Amino acid sequence: MSETWPIAIRDGWHPLAALDELHGKPIGRRLLGTPIVLFRSEGKPVAMLDRCPHRALKLSDGRVRADTIACPYHGWRFGADGRCVEVPGSDAVPAVAVRVLPIEVRGGLIWACLAETPPPFPRLPTLLDDPTLDHFQWLVAPSQMRLLDAIENMLDASHPHYVHPWFLRGTKKRKAMRVELSLGPDGAEAIYHENARADGIMPRLLEGERTVSIGRYFPPTIGQLEFRTARGLSVSLTAIFAPEDNDLVRPYALFSTRKGIAPAWLKRWVLKAFNLPLLRQDQRVLADQVEALKDWGAVDFAIGPADLIGPTVWRLANSKPQAVEQRVTTLYL
Ligand code: FES
Ligand SMILES: [Fe+2]
């Protein structure tokens, strides 16, 4: 396991899988470099360390039998409390157990925590609970990126011109935009007053007249983008960044849209189709960042005038204080 995780990340709650991913077979995942197995016992998800106490085989390569998980090597079975309940071929059962992790199911995701004493569950964006919206998940594979830099990337308004040219914003003529920035110990919010027909390909096709776009950070690992027209929310994207390993992050993306614009299946399809190239472009630049940093080790980053939320991500994820601060600035986007 990495020695370098900030405590809020190391001891924090992170998603391991979507509830809908977990059926009759166990799932093997990683959390902060630790292999974890997920399975269902009496219908409920269970998460435990993915190591058989007998000879260290991966329990996730085994099978679920009668609400227990059976190791693929000699068949020892373990119950939802982690205790061994059967050694095939013997009446004796050794007093050994696999460590079970505390879990919570929120927002359709199974969250777990590696800390002995779990901290309070992180604040989730309220949009996720709004029954007037259509919600759906976008599950993507983990890729090479640094956790906090990935969160910053999602909330950074100054890279799309370069990394996603024409997708999100036109690149020829930038527009002056008033940005209201609020920072504080609970997170960060940047409200971009667009008040114009967005000129990127995606917003043109999907939204029309965009009034504001909002980026929010919920510590330690959640980012949210919200796009509004005069009629209200058009779409929001909440991403929870799960640290699987050093420089390996699995984002769990949750879209929320206003009901009734189009059938939910169509919105789901369109949003995934449009966002896939953006995801690939961001994955590429974040992997390039990891590679570039291999030559330099730990370096301090310069903070630029358009780096509105990134510094707050680093502060709060590292349990450093973030003073309450509100300011209005102009960016040309
Ligand atoms: S290694 Fe798991 S039962 Fe032997
Ligand atoms: Fe991006």
Side-chain angles (χ1 to χ4, degrees), residues 4-124:
T4 56
W5 299 105
I7 290 170
I9 304 295
R10 188 195 68 193
D11 291 350
W13 288 94
H14 303 285
L16 283 176
L19 191 59
D20 290 347
E21 288 182 277
L22 189 59
H23 302 290
K25 286 191 181 152
I27 295 179
R29 286 281 151 90
R30 294 179 83 81
L31 177 56
L32 300 153
T34 301
I36 311 285
V37 57
L38 284 158
F39 67 100
R40 279 187 193 261
S41 177
E42 297 180 345
K44 296 199 197 83
V46 176
M48 54 175 72
L49 298 192
D50 195 7
R51 175 168 55 89
C52 177
H54 185 220
R55 294 293 182 270
L57 267 282
K58 278 187 179 297
L59 294 170
S60 57
D61 290 333
R63 284 189 300 170
V64 179
R65 274 186 39 215
D67 297 315
T68 65
I69 186 152
C71 176
Y73 196 0
H74 310 93
W76 288 25
R77 292 197 297 126
F78 303 89
D81 61 358
R83 281 213 280 267
C84 183
V85 295
E86 187 197 19
V87 170
S90 169
D91 290 329
V93 178
V96 294
V98 186
R99 187 177 157 216
V100 174
L101 302 183
I103 59 171
E104 295 263 355
V105 177
R106 306 269 183 105
L109 304 175
I110 304 166
W111 303 64
C113 173
L114 283 170
E116 296 288 343
T117 311
F121 201 80
R123 185 170 65 102
L124 295 184

